[in-house]
Amino acid sequence: MALIVHKYGGTSMGSAERIRNVAKRVAKWARAGHQMVVVPSAMSGETNRLLGLAKELAPSRTSDAYHRELDMLAATGEQASSALLAIALQAEGMASVSYAGWQVPIRTDNSYTKARIESIEDTRVRADLDAGRVVIVTGFQGVDAEGNITTLGRGGSDTSAVAVAAALKASECLIYTDVDGVYTTDPRVVPEARRLHTISFEEMLEMASMGSKVLQIRSVEFAGKYKVPLRVLSSFTAWDIDIKEEAKSGTLITFEEDEHMEQAIVSGIAFNRDEAKISVLGVPDTPGIAYQILGAVADANIDVDVIIQNVSKDGKTDFSFTVNRGDYARAIEILKERVIPKLGAHEVTGDAKICKVSIVGIGMRSHVGIASKMFRCLSEEGINIQMISTSEIKTSVVIDEKYMELAVRALHKAFDLEQVPA
Ligand code: ASP
Ligand code: MG
């Protein structure tokens, strides 16, 4: 008998019929002898609907008081889906109880709409499990030290599930979603993309931070920190498929490198269209320049990704970096107004039509020539590389957005990702 956490996304909880299916699946696991904790998202569309109503009433509020009410509001989505699931389980003849975040409690800091989990009390949940009940814990929400309801950011139910699994030392956390696992790349771009049976947690972290939307990145960080075995799998298989088969399906996110059975050097290709490039030209090459440019951008709460500073010529240098496309206009404005005049830099230029394509694989640690293989592949396609950044297990390039699909397809092929490695 094991303690298992299931998490169901909004699509899986999308209607009474689907909730009934979730209940049947969970009941199957409980009847197989497992202690079950389930963390549901709100029914699909519900969080957007609620936040949309708030926006209608107050289009541009930013105060803390307003954000507090947003959390109060958005948290109801998960409260409803959790209660409905408990009701459906009871109707299946399973004893079941649901708890809102504050009832567990799941304690968070007080940053409304993007709170971080600080601790989870397990006494109440354990007592129910020991009494033979299936416990449903709302995703996405917690409570701060003053008793205010908080939420964890969009997609936060993934993080709730992993955190609950960590607190209860669950044997595995299964994330049921509308795709059947993690793929070598987005199958909409490369139809030959292959589902990975396993991926290391570090690779998953790189994939998630670079646009693979399967898991909220914070949930992956959490899983890494607390070593929670995580599996991403489909909730659209028949609920009564053989439980042993189901337990092996999807993609397992592993921690042991030698458990990484597939042994491919590159495991996946990630891409992100959501970036823009900014260059500050002709800045004096003196101490504090990077700080003055990027500090001003960071003060505006704008995240910076790839950064390049050129070698200087005649005491001047060029400085380029990428930001989220949504922050592009504001970043340019800040630089023009505050940084350029102070630094006496030449000009600010930018390009919002770029994208970032990355190859990810822990095998890159122990193999040389992987990056150059990537560059050769892109050059054979005639694709110009504008920026490059690397980490131990990833190489990213910034290229013109219009070549993104071509680049992803060519790289997927060059690294034999359609093939299952022998
Ligand atoms: N319901 C929340 C959202 O839509 C949290 C989640 O689904 O993970 O973002
Ligand atoms: Mg999600």
Side-chain angles (χ1 to χ4, degrees):
M1 186 175 77
L3 198 164
I4 308 270
V5 174
H6 280 190
K7 184 260 170 179
Y8 290 91
T11 338
S12 318
M13 298 292 293
S15 65
E17 190 49 40
R18 288 187 178 171
I19 293 176
R20 184 178 297 125
N21 265 304
V22 169
K24 286 184 191 295
R25 191 184 297 275
V26 171
K28 175 183 74 180
W29 280 75
R31 290 191 174 113
H34 298 302
Q35 292 194 308
M36 297 301 300
V37 177
V38 187
V39 178
S41 288
M43 295 171 76
S44 56
E46 181 62 4
T47 311
N48 286 343
R49 186 185 74 86
L50 293 167
L51 295 176
L53 287 169
K55 221 169 180 172
E56 257 181 58
L57 294 170
S60 59
R61 304 282 309 165
T62 54
S63 65
D64 228 31
Y66 173 67
H67 284 136
R68 179 190 185 279
E69 301 313 320
L70 283 186
D71 281 0
M72 188 74 185
L73 173 70
T76 62
E78 271 71 11
Q79 191 173 325
S81 62
S82 294
L84 288 170
L85 181 56
I87 289 168
L89 276 158
Q90 291 164 7
E92 292 297 323
M94 291 299 314
S96 176
V97 58
S98 73
Y99 293 116
W102 64 269
Q103 292 174 304
V104 175
I106 296 179
R107 293 201 178 81
T108 71
D109 64 15
N110 61 2
S111 20
Y112 298 123
T113 73
K114 47 176 186 301
R116 283 182 178 268
I117 295 177
E118 287 176 342
S119 67
I120 297 182
E121 178 66 52
D122 67 350
T123 328
R124 195 165 185 178
V125 174
R126 276 198 196 281
D128 284 306
L129 290 172
D130 291 342
R133 285 186 273 272
V134 173
V135 182
I136 324 282
V137 175
T138 50
F140 186 48
Q141 59 179 272
V143 63
D144 75 5
E146 256 92 68
N148 300 299
I149 289 177
T150 54
T151 67
L152 309 180
R154 298 308 303 269
S157 298
D158 293 339
T159 303
S160 308
V162 175
V164 165
L168 294 168
K169 301 190 176 56
S171 329
E172 200 168 296
C173 178
L174 285 74
I175 309 274
Y176 286 88
T177 178
D178 49 5
V179 294
D180 65 352
V182 180
Y183 276 71
T184 48
T185 195
D186 188 337
R188 282 167 302 191
V189 173
V190 184
E192 297 81 22
R194 180 172 50 85
R195 179 170 57 82
L196 296 160
H197 295 288
T198 63
I199 184 169
S200 76
F201 135 78
E202 290 159 290
E203 290 169 321
M204 192 61 218
L205 204 54
E206 294 283 10
M207 297 289 272
S209 69
M210 280 177 314
S212 160
K213 300 271 183 310
V214 185
L215 289 174
Q216 196 201 35
I217 181 157
R218 216 184 275 169
S219 73
V220 185
E221 287 165 5
F222 224 101
K225 189 161 165 201
Y226 295 99
K227 298 244 180 305
V228 179
L230 254 190
R231 186 180 292 275
V232 175
L233 70 172
S234 171
S235 67
F236 292 126
T237 54
W239 69 266
D240 57 352
I241 71 166
D242 180 59
I243 193 167
K244 288 207 187 73
E245 196 183 310
E246 186 176 343
K248 284 187 306 200
S249 67
T251 302
L252 180 67
I253 295 146
T254 61
F255 299 95
E256 308 293 329
E257 288 193 15
D258 24 285
E259 259 180 45
H260 191 72
M261 309 283 271
E262 287 165 84
Q263 292 301 340
I265 296 168
V266 169
S267 296
I269 317 279
F271 53 86
N272 188 351
R273 299 176 216 254
D274 217 25
E275 298 207 17
K277 181 178 80 168
I278 297 176
S279 299
V280 188
L281 306 177
V283 290
D285 189 9
T286 51
I289 287 302
Y291 171 64
Q292 288 197 50
I293 296 175
L294 298 178
V297 173
D299 286 345
N301 237 325
I302 296 175
D303 271 339
V304 169
D305 186 19
V306 183
I307 304 170
I308 290 183
Q309 184 185 333
N310 278 343
V311 287
S312 64
K313 197 173 160 244
D314 308 325
K316 299 259 179 188
T317 184
D318 300 335
F319 197 93
S320 301
F321 56 94
T322 63
V323 295
N324 263 330
R325 209 171 278 184
D327 293 326
Y328 175 65
R330 215 151 56 87
I332 295 260
E333 196 182 291
I334 289 167
L335 291 170
K336 284 199 168 143
E337 278 173 14
R338 287 198 250 143
V339 179
I340 294 282
K342 213 159 71 190
L343 289 184
H346 222 263
E347 65 174 310
V348 178
T349 62
D351 184 355
K353 291 203 163 58
I354 54 132
C355 70
K356 192 172 69 172
V357 177
S358 313
I359 55 174
V360 176
I362 47 174
M364 291 166 79
R365 268 192 197 135
S366 47
H367 289 78
V368 293
I370 307 305
S372 69
K373 182 168 174 181
M374 178 188 203
F375 305 149
R376 186 175 70 215
C377 167
L378 296 173
S379 91
E380 280 166 6
E381 298 296 334
I383 298 171
N384 185 41
I385 299 171
Q386 303 179 16
M387 298 167 103
I388 299 171
S389 87
T390 63
S391 81
E392 247 196 323
I393 64 163
K394 145 204 109 176
T395 303
S396 304
V397 296
V398 170
I399 59 173
D400 189 324
E401 173 188 65
K402 66 174 180 270
Y403 299 123
M404 191 198 81
E405 301 206 348
L406 175 63
V408 173
R409 260 184 260 128
L411 289 167
H412 199 267
K413 199 168 180 110
F415 287 101
D416 291 324
L417 290 178
E418 311 93 335
Q419 250 65 254
V420 179

